[in-house]
């Protein structure tokens, strides 16, 4: 293999580059990323960068010298617009065409937006460093903030903005924050935590409109006609895989790039990170993970499998791991945390906000969650089994 192209210059793309060189690939390596800045880490964006406690440049994933050691042609500020798998070319927005023998797709996600209020100033999404800095600049004026969406991103943004002393309302369609991710029982604890910290919760509600005055957002309208005054609105209603550039490629697409169990999409073409959707060998279910650890682990597998070829490729079968930091809570979770699972508290005390909970489904322990209990949580890792395939 002479030339490998990586599309997506972030956690997964960069890990793939590292892995390819570590595994002995000496050919030409090209990485394409549509953002101008070198690869950086996203988890701090909704936490320390938004809070202003971490300098933006400290999110960088590699110093310049380390990037140079990878001996790659790093094409930043360049967007891939087309892939021809048969001709083995990737076309960029400026018309440049890159030939490849091997390709790793690592283009991540784009934030979902509301169908209204798009042109109003003060309406934000948060996925990139630029977006975090733009939002941070707006927060300095001490506005009334409404966060729409009570998943991981929305709850983190609510916690950070509230920690800055702002007036914050969190709106979510589910009965509790994080209900879809961690279930309503743990979600109830998350709701308590936000309320104790002074966040106004509007749960079980959807947003029907955004009102504006003089071109700037002024209020959020809910489905029960509640009007929430707002100077800044953050839309955190999930993301969609960044596969627009692959639309006419003929590659199998659905909720992401549809790979096989080894992360291969087509001969010599692999996907990794938030954009990759693969049949998890332990569950048989198609899976797409939006977790930082997965971006690294899956990129390692994709890179090794690309070099090994189909004969030597190994299935990708991780136990998922994710975390969120909100106020003084560090919540970490391994495995699968289905919303309808039975929860067993096995260590500590939920009311004291220091505990470990196990998620039981189908007679097995399928997930483990630690709330300010990182060390204890690790001890339960070995007890996890995958859910039984339906
Ligand atoms: C604000 C925020 C906070 C988070 N916090 C946590 C956390 O606390 N814990 C956790 O486990 N996970 C967290 N995550 C998730 C974690 O950051 C992601 O799982 C991880 O970034 C995925 O890496 P990736 O490389 O697959 O995709 P991304 O990081 O999305 O990178 C994809 C890159 O591809 C580029 N790209 C897209 N399309 C094109 C194209 N056509 N041409 C060229 N380049 C393109 C994009 O600009 C982007 O730089 C958070 C995510 C965000 C946004």
């Amino acid at each position: 293999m002479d030339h490998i192209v990586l599309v997506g210059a972030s956690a997964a793309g960069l890990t793939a580059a590292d892995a390819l060189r570590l595994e002995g690939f000496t050919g030409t390596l090209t990485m394409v990323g549509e953002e101008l800045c070198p690869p950086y880490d996203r988890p701090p964006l909704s936490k320390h960068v938004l809070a202003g406690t971490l300098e933006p440049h400290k999110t960088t994933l590699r110093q310049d010298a380390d990037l140079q050691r990878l001996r790659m042609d790093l094409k930043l500020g360049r967007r891939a617009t087309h892939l021809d798998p048969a001709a083995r070319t990737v076309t960029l927005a400026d018309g440049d065409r890159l030939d490849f023998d091997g390709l790793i797709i690592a283009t991540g996600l784009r934030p979902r937006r509301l169908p209204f209020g798009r042109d109003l100033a003060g309406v934000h999404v948060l996925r990139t460093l630029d977006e975090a800095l733009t939002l941070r600049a707006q927060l300095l004026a001490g506005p009334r903030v409404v966060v729409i969406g009570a998943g991981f991103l929305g709850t983190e943004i609510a916690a950070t903005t509230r920690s800055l002393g702002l007036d914050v309302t969190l709106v979510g369609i589910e009965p509790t924050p994080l209900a879809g991710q961690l279930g309503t029982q743990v979600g109830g604890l998350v709701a308590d935590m936000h309320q104790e910290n002074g966040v106004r919760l509007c749960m079980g509600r959807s947003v029907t409109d955004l009102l504006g005055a003089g071109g700037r957002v002024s209020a959020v309208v809910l489905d029960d006609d509640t009007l929430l005054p707002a100077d800044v609105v953050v839309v955190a209603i999930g993301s969609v895989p960044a596969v627009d550039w692959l639309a006419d490629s003929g590659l199998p697409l659905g909720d992401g790039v549809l790979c096989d169990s080894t992360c291969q999409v087509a001969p010599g073409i692999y996907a990794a990170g938030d954009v990759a959707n693969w049949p998890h060998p332990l569950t048989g279910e198609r899976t797409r993970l939006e977790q930082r650890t997965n971006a690294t682990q899956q990129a390692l597998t994709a890179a090794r499998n690309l070099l090994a070829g189909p004969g030597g490729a190994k299935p990708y079968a991780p136990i998922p791991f994710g975390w969120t930091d909100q106020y003084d809570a560090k919540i970490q979770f391994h495995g699968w945390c289905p919303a309808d699972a039975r929860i067993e508290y096995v260590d500590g005390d939920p009311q004291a906000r220091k505990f470990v909970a196990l998620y039981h489904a189908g007679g097995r322990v399928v997930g483990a969650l630690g709330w300010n209990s990182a060390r204890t949580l690790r001890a339960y890792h070995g007890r996890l089994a995958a859910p039984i395939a339906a």
Side-chain angles (χ1 to χ4, degrees), residues 9 30 35 37 60 64-65 95 97 110 119 137 145 159 181 187 214 218-219 240 252 272-273 296 310 332 337 358:
T30 304
E35 292 176 71
C37 43
T60 192
D64 285 351
R97 197 167 294 170
R110 295 191 199 291
D119 298 333
V145 180
Q181 292 79 9
S218 61
V240 289
T296 303
Q332 300 165 310
C337 302
L358 298 181

Side-chain angles (χ1 to χ4, degrees), residues 7-13 32-35 42-43 45-47 78-80 106-110 126-127 153 156 242 245 272-275 290-293 295 321-324:
V7 183
S10 186
V32 183
E34 70 178 331
E35 292 176 71
R42 285 177 214 279
L45 301 185
S46 49
K47 308 169 185 82
R78 312 279 295 277
R79 182 173 150 65
T107 44
L109 307 175
R110 295 191 199 291
L126 173 45
R127 179 85 197 167
L153 187 57
E156 285 184 3
W245 66 286
D274 284 9
V275 78
E290 298 181 9
Q291 294 169 344
R292 179 63 181 80
T293 307
F321 171 75
W323 80 89
T324 178

Side-chain angles (χ1 to χ4, degrees), residues 259 263 271-274 276-278 293-303 316:
C259 321
C263 308
D274 284 9
N277 179 319
W278 87 109
T293 307
N294 179 68
T296 303
Q297 292 179 345
Q298 193 164 24
L300 277 172
T301 302
Y316 180 56

Side-chain angles (χ1 to χ4, degrees), residues 33-383:
E34 70 178 331
E35 292 176 71
L36 273 172
C37 43
Y40 61 88
D41 212 12
R42 285 177 214 279
L45 301 185
S46 49
K47 308 169 185 82
H48 306 296
V49 171
L50 197 57
T53 54
L54 185 75
E55 299 276 338
H57 71 268
K58 297 229 165 113
T59 58
T60 192
L61 283 167
R62 291 288 181 287
Q63 299 304 321
D64 285 351
D66 296 322
L67 281 177
Q68 276 160 20
R69 270 194 278 278
L70 286 171
R71 288 173 285 114
M72 47 178 193
D73 180 6
L74 183 52
K75 295 184 183 300
L76 294 176
R78 312 279 295 277
R79 182 173 150 65
T81 52
H82 178 65
L83 165 69
D84 184 337
R88 304 194 92 61
T89 56
V90 170
T91 308
L92 308 188
D94 55 15
D96 252 16
R97 197 167 294 170
L98 308 173
D99 297 324
F100 66 83
D101 307 305
L103 172 71
I104 296 183
I105 298 168
T107 44
L109 307 175
R110 295 191 199 291
R112 197 175 281 137
R113 291 169 194 262
L114 288 169
F116 38 75
R118 289 182 187 205
D119 298 333
L120 292 173
V123 180
H124 298 260
V125 292
L126 173 45
R127 179 85 197 167
T128 66
L129 182 55
D130 280 351
E131 287 162 351
L133 296 177
T134 305
L135 175 57
R136 160 101 189 131
Q138 299 262 316
L139 299 181
L140 295 177
R144 292 163 300 177
V145 180
V146 175
V147 181
I148 303 172
F152 286 118
L153 187 57
T155 50
E156 285 184 3
I157 294 168
T160 304
T161 46
R162 182 64 201 131
S163 303
L164 291 171
L166 305 180
D167 177 291
V168 182
T169 305
L170 178 63
V171 181
I173 203 161
E174 312 261 10
T176 71
L178 298 181
Q181 292 79 9
L182 304 176
T184 50
Q185 206 168 326
V186 171
L189 300 171
V190 176
D192 293 347
M193 173 175 72
H194 278 276
Q195 280 173 321
E196 283 159 23
N197 280 282
V199 170
R200 202 175 301 112
L201 290 187
C202 293
M203 297 308 304
R205 296 264 69 93
S206 62
V207 171
T208 54
D209 207 358
L210 298 180
L211 304 184
R216 191 176 177 90
V217 72
S218 61
V220 174
V221 186
L222 304 186
D223 55 357
D224 62 354
D225 293 333
T226 302
L227 215 65
L228 302 171
D231 310 302
V232 165
V233 168
V234 190
V235 180
I237 54 172
S239 305
V240 289
V243 294
D244 43 317
W245 66 286
L246 298 168
D248 57 356
S249 66
L251 288 191
L253 304 175
D255 175 28
V257 179
L258 305 182
C259 321
D260 69 11
S261 62
T262 69
C263 308
Q264 183 181 252
V265 198
I269 302 179
Y270 286 74
D274 284 9
V275 78
N277 179 319
W278 87 109
H280 197 298
L282 297 179
T283 64
E285 302 270 326
R286 280 217 160 264
T287 303
R288 197 175 58 70
L289 294 175
E290 298 181 9
Q291 294 169 344
R292 179 63 181 80
T293 307
N294 179 68
T296 303
Q297 292 179 345
Q298 193 164 24
L300 277 172
T301 302
R304 285 180 186 145
N305 284 348
L306 171 61
L307 293 180
K314 297 209 170 76
Y316 180 56
I319 300 281
F321 171 75
W323 80 89
T324 178
D325 299 336
Q326 307 186 14
Y327 309 106
D328 61 355
K330 288 198 173 297
I331 304 170
Q332 300 165 310
F333 40 95
H334 295 278
W336 291 263
C337 302
D340 57 353
R342 178 174 69 80
I343 291 193
E344 179 192 10
Y345 295 107
V346 289
D347 190 274
D349 175 6
Q351 295 316 317
R353 305 282 158 72
K354 188 170 168 53
F355 66 90
V356 173
L358 298 181
Y359 287 67
H360 295 260
R364 303 146 73 97
V365 178
V366 297
L369 177 141
W371 188 308
N372 287 337
S373 298
R375 200 174 309 152
T376 320
L377 177 66
R378 276 196 289 274
Y380 288 91
H381 190 262
R383 287 187 55 184

